Amino acid sequence: MQLTLKRIAGLISILLFLVACTAPKSREEVFGLLNLDRPGLEEVKSHCEKKQWAEASEALLGYYRTRQGIYIPGQESRTASSRDSLWAADAMQHTFHVLADTVWNYGKDINWEYWPVKDIEMRVQLHRHGWWYSLGRMYCTSGDEKYAAEYVDEFRDWVKKNPYKPFGVDQNGTVSSGSLDVNSPNECFAWRPLEIGIRLLRWCTHFSLFLDSPQFTPEFLLEFLQSYHQNASVLMRSFSPSGNHLIHQSSGVIRAGICFPEFKDAESWVKAGVDNLKAEISRQSYPDGCHFELDPGYHIGVVESYDDAIQVAVDNGRLDLFPAEVLEQLVRMASYYQDYCYPDWTHPCFSDARRHDDLASPELLKDISGYCDSPQARQILWFATEGREGEAPSYKSSGHPDTGFYAFRDGWYDANIIMPVKATERGMWHAQPDFGTFELWAYGKILMPDAGAYVYSGDTEIERQRAYFKATARHNALTLDDRNYDAPKPKVLAWQPDAGRGVQRLVVEHEAYEGLTRRRSISFVKEKYFEIVDEVSGPASGRLTLRNGFGRGALERISEGEYVYRDGCAGLSISITGPKGSVISVDTDWFSEAMHEKSERPVLRIDLDRASGAGPQRFVTVLRPFYIPKDN
Ligand code: MG
């Protein structure tokens, strides 16, 4: 009987919550969300007590327009860039830049369910409203009310056409964890918890940019506050169980609580977000600072999300929310990223990373360098300021044998040659079966880019393309019958940043396939060239193929096994040899550095039929970067 009553009480509380989340609120109810005893809200409270809702709304708008002591991130970034100008002009026509490289027109009467290419990422990112920043900055720069009017119209349209509906377990619990089926109902895309978290982060900046506009009426203020509160309330009940999504969501509720302390729920949002971040830092990163997704984009994205949460606390006098262990681990994560970061602030496209998305910046690394006083923190500051502040690292090439990222380099922000290497365990969904693969940067160009990811997830065609780019055979790797590697259990046989005679060396090994052990040795000689030795052993037989993929430049055959690749002022001479019977040829394949964009590239391959009973077999590749003074 007791259990039954408990269940009924539970059901009633869930129903009340759902009603609270879904039903439009009267003005009175919106004021009920606020702590009217907060200093500065005396006039609002007085009007509310007299049920003078119009006057109370006016007073509340006046309060927010003159509010002191609350800093909203981005509130001072009011100057529009040329990109903002383009994005805002397009937004006026309902052509939304959902992703930097994805632009669709959603119609005069906006169709928030328009989705011509069934990649989940295109559908969900629409609901993050990234282009509203551009409308805001164009408004602040030009003072033209049309931008504010457009923002208000689009905000209201989105709220009207994308009502929250609980989805709970009807999608097998996958909405909360981030995975979606292409046939899911609209609310699963619009109200996926990650998108809610990102709206909480972004909407308050939009709020600050448009707040002084006459379009931002007292009525609109109440609509905004109601929707903002609804987003935070829904998220508090639907946090992802773990993963990078939870970090963004936690940062979202922290910002909501700190930037809108007038809400009665504000402190509970802050506490929930901080508790999540404290728990997740050790779950989502290894002791050496590597992020568990094994993806440079996610790695720095999570660091940035932590920094978002911490900076809003710092700027509002609340750094004490975060313990030293969290701040010190973020320094380790930033240092780990610095090790493979290129001088142009891009990173290798390993796993799902894209070349120009989710990047570090000098500002981000400067923030992180202030979190503690350690050699790593001082070195991060040195890198971020190109040597003007901080302390130069005592090393150039770096290795993290516990997790598997390495980088050979001849310098830092002034490097001419960098080879990041990924020799990690398989990892999870974002990672690829690419053990021992590498990129090669030389003289300002990525001469050997990773094939990238091209797409995320979606319908059958999208999944087919994802599998293609993810495959081992798209990487600088040695395959057997073009199959993907088994889950590797990597062994680090040697990591010698100084192996003598000017040689730096990495030797790793894995059971690439059942019956085939592959050992890859990479030597960086006198900081000038690389010698890569791939050796296979074991009873397996089949076609062995070693591939080396290049970028947008041209590959020219010089003689048997000798090639030259040129891209602008940067070049690479390549020498490749294999066991007797090997056949060298040039293929054409694809690589991708941005979502849904791909470029053709030459791939140098060497094939060998490995007979049953063959002993160890070796392939040797020498890569020698050079600089061409004139672009010829
Ligand atoms: Mg890859």
Side-chain angles (χ1 to χ4, degrees):
M1 181 66 180
Q2 212 174 14
L3 192 62
T4 309
L5 281 174
K6 257 189 186 172
R7 278 184 179 162
I8 291 169
L11 278 172
I12 289 171
S13 83
I14 289 170
L15 282 171
L16 285 174
F17 168 73
L18 296 181
V19 168
C21 283
T22 51
K25 287 183 166 38
S26 67
R27 287 187 290 187
E28 181 176 359
E29 286 172 314
V30 178
F31 285 109
L33 301 173
L34 305 175
N35 171 16
L36 297 180
D37 291 325
R38 190 177 169 82
L41 291 175
E42 296 82 359
E43 188 185 346
V44 178
K45 184 180 180 185
S46 166
H47 288 301
C48 285
E49 284 171 349
K50 296 173 198 150
K51 301 195 182 301
Q52 296 168 333
W53 306 119
E55 291 83 352
S57 308
E58 286 274 0
L60 188 61
L61 183 58
Y63 162 83
Y64 276 113
R65 283 181 174 164
T66 56
R67 186 174 68 160
Q68 300 289 315
I70 302 292
Y71 171 78
I72 294 177
Q75 67 180 23
E76 75 289 0
S77 299
R78 293 174 167 249
T79 306
S81 64
S82 55
R83 191 176 92 157
D84 289 324
S85 174
L86 171 69
W87 286 30
D90 282 347
M92 300 295 293
Q93 309 303 317
H94 298 168
T95 296
F96 300 145
H97 289 251
V98 171
L99 288 163
D101 308 304
T102 305
V103 188
W104 292 323
N105 185 275
Y106 289 79
K108 192 161 190 274
D109 179 17
I110 300 171
N111 176 5
W112 296 95
E113 298 181 33
Y114 181 61
W115 193 22
V117 176
K118 296 287 183 292
D119 188 318
I120 300 289
E121 210 57 18
M122 313 297 196
R123 182 76 184 270
V124 292
Q125 291 217 17
L126 174 67
H127 302 288
R128 301 180 187 178
H129 310 133
W131 65 94
W132 286 353
Y133 285 119
S134 296
L135 282 174
R137 288 191 285 261
M138 280 304 289
Y139 171 66
C140 294
T141 300
S142 69
D144 192 331
E145 289 296 330
K146 72 179 181 185
Y147 297 112
E150 181 64 26
Y151 160 73
V152 170
D153 284 350
E154 289 183 16
F155 185 98
R156 285 177 162 155
D157 196 67
W158 184 84
V159 170
K160 187 173 99 186
K161 293 178 182 167
N162 296 279
Y164 171 68
K165 292 179 197 163
F167 36 77
V169 293
D170 64 335
Q171 298 296 315
N172 298 321
T174 56
V175 177
S176 172
S177 63
S179 302
L180 285 170
D181 184 272
V182 288
N183 298 312
S184 302
N186 183 55
E187 59 269 18
C188 294
F189 299 97
W191 289 87
R192 194 174 70 151
L194 176 59
E195 277 57 52
I196 306 175
I198 291 174
R199 284 199 293 273
L200 291 174
L201 290 167
R202 292 179 171 179
W203 278 14
C204 62
T205 309
H206 307 152
F207 168 92
S208 71
L209 298 178
F210 292 112
L211 182 61
D212 290 330
S213 164
Q215 312 299 321
F216 208 108
T217 60
E219 293 72 29
F220 182 72
L221 172 65
L222 294 196
E223 292 169 42
F224 177 89
L225 292 175
Q226 178 191 336
S227 290
Y228 198 76
H229 185 277
Q230 184 192 30
N231 273 268
S233 299
V234 171
L235 187 51
M236 287 287 282
R237 297 291 289 259
S238 58
F239 283 125
S240 296
S242 63
N244 68 79
H245 287 203
L246 180 57
I247 305 305
H248 295 287
Q249 294 157 21
S250 302
S251 184
V253 289
I254 290 170
R255 187 173 298 186
I258 289 181
C259 294
F260 291 94
E262 299 81 11
F263 286 120
K264 290 173 182 169
D265 294 330
E267 274 310 296
S268 67
W269 300 341
V270 173
K271 182 177 185 315
V274 170
D275 286 349
N276 286 342
L277 292 186
K278 284 199 285 199
E280 288 298 310
I281 190 103
S282 54
R283 290 173 64 186
Q284 296 197 27
S285 64
Y286 297 105
D288 65 0
C290 184
H291 184 247
F292 76 150
E293 299 269 18
L294 308 176
D295 174 316
Y298 279 95
H299 182 116
I300 200 65
V302 163
V303 171
E304 187 171 23
S305 197
Y306 267 87
D307 186 61
D308 279 345
I310 293 167
Q311 285 302 309
V312 78
V314 169
D315 291 332
N316 288 281
R318 302 193 61 184
L319 182 58
D320 58 321
L321 288 170
F322 293 94
E325 307 89 81
V326 172
L327 303 176
E328 287 162 5
Q329 182 63 3
L330 283 169
V331 169
R332 282 184 212 104
M333 292 183 77
S335 174
Y336 198 102
Y337 182 87
Q338 175 187 325
D339 284 348
Y340 56 59
C341 183
Y342 294 127
D344 66 355
W345 291 92
T346 63
H347 52 218
C349 287
F350 296 142
S351 303
D352 272 341
R354 299 189 288 273
R355 187 76 67 203
H356 299 289
D357 288 354
D358 291 323
L359 302 178
S361 64
E363 295 72 29
L364 174 64
L365 292 197
K366 273 191 225 171
D367 283 351
I368 306 283
S369 72
Y371 288 167
C372 67
D373 184 20
S374 69
Q376 275 186 328
R378 293 192 289 276
Q379 289 162 13
I380 291 166
L381 181 61
W382 181 87
F383 183 69
T385 60
E386 297 195 344
R388 289 186 296 278
E389 298 172 55
E391 184 179 295
S394 57
Y395 64 96
K396 287 187 276 193
S397 296
S398 59
H400 299 282
D402 289 344
T403 44
F405 283 91
Y406 302 82
F408 295 101
R409 58 196 307 155
D410 70 348
W412 288 99
Y413 55 84
D414 56 351
N416 289 318
I417 299 174
I418 305 173
M419 178 188 278
V421 181
K422 180 170 176 280
T424 66
E425 292 200 0
R426 171 65 68 86
M428 293 174 292
W429 190 80
H430 292 289
Q432 301 180 340
D434 57 1
F435 185 83
T437 198
F438 59 86
E439 283 199 342
L440 179 57
W441 157 292
Y443 303 104
K445 293 274 185 179
I446 310 282
L447 299 182
M448 299 179 72
D450 194 89
Y454 186 51
V455 294
Y456 254 36
S457 66
D459 62 13
T460 308
E461 176 56 17
I462 294 287
E463 294 295 341
R464 188 189 66 76
Q465 291 172 346
R466 179 172 180 80
Y468 182 83
F469 280 80
K470 187 171 188 168
T472 306
R474 298 287 88 67
H475 293 86
N476 296 325
L478 178 64
T479 55
L480 179 67
D481 295 327
D482 278 352
R483 286 153 47 203
N484 285 339
Y485 287 149
D486 295 345
K489 291 288 176 205
K491 277 190 211 159
V492 183
L493 303 182
W495 163 240
Q496 299 166 304
D498 181 6
R501 297 184 184 175
V503 175
Q504 304 169 33
R505 183 175 295 127
L506 169 68
V507 186
V508 288
E509 186 177 283
H510 66 138
E511 294 302 311
Y513 305 95
E514 188 178 345
L516 194 77
T517 301
R518 168 186 170 237
R519 178 180 296 182
R520 168 162 274 191
S521 163
I522 303 178
S523 297
F524 187 30
V525 183
K526 300 184 190 319
E527 296 189 343
K528 296 289 183 209
Y529 68 93
F530 298 92
E531 184 183 76
I532 302 171
V533 179
D534 286 281
E535 182 173 310
V536 293
S537 58
S541 60
R543 196 186 75 240
L544 295 172
T545 306
L546 175 67
R547 290 178 173 82
N548 281 288
F550 303 92
R552 293 182 181 82
L555 183 67
E556 182 187 354
R557 183 180 184 275
I558 304 300
S559 61
E560 179 65 15
E562 301 290 329
Y563 290 79
V564 169
Y565 172 75
R566 291 168 195 257
D567 184 356
C569 291
L572 188 61
S573 65
I574 306 117
S575 169
I576 185 164
T577 56
K580 194 168 177 216
S582 298
V583 177
I584 300 173
S585 60
V586 176
D587 244 355
T588 300
D589 207 338
W590 300 97
F591 73 106
S592 171
E593 297 180 300
M595 186 82 81
H596 289 247
E597 276 188 12
K598 60 182 179 180
S599 305
E600 270 195 337
R601 66 160 164 184
V603 173
L604 185 58
R605 58 185 287 169
I606 178 165
D607 290 88
L608 175 71
D609 284 325
R610 177 177 172 80
S612 181
Q617 293 172 313
R618 304 174 91 209
F619 299 83
V620 179
T621 309
V622 176
L623 302 170
R624 194 182 291 269
F626 59 86
Y627 178 73
I628 311 160
K630 279 179 78 174
D631 194 352
N632 55 18

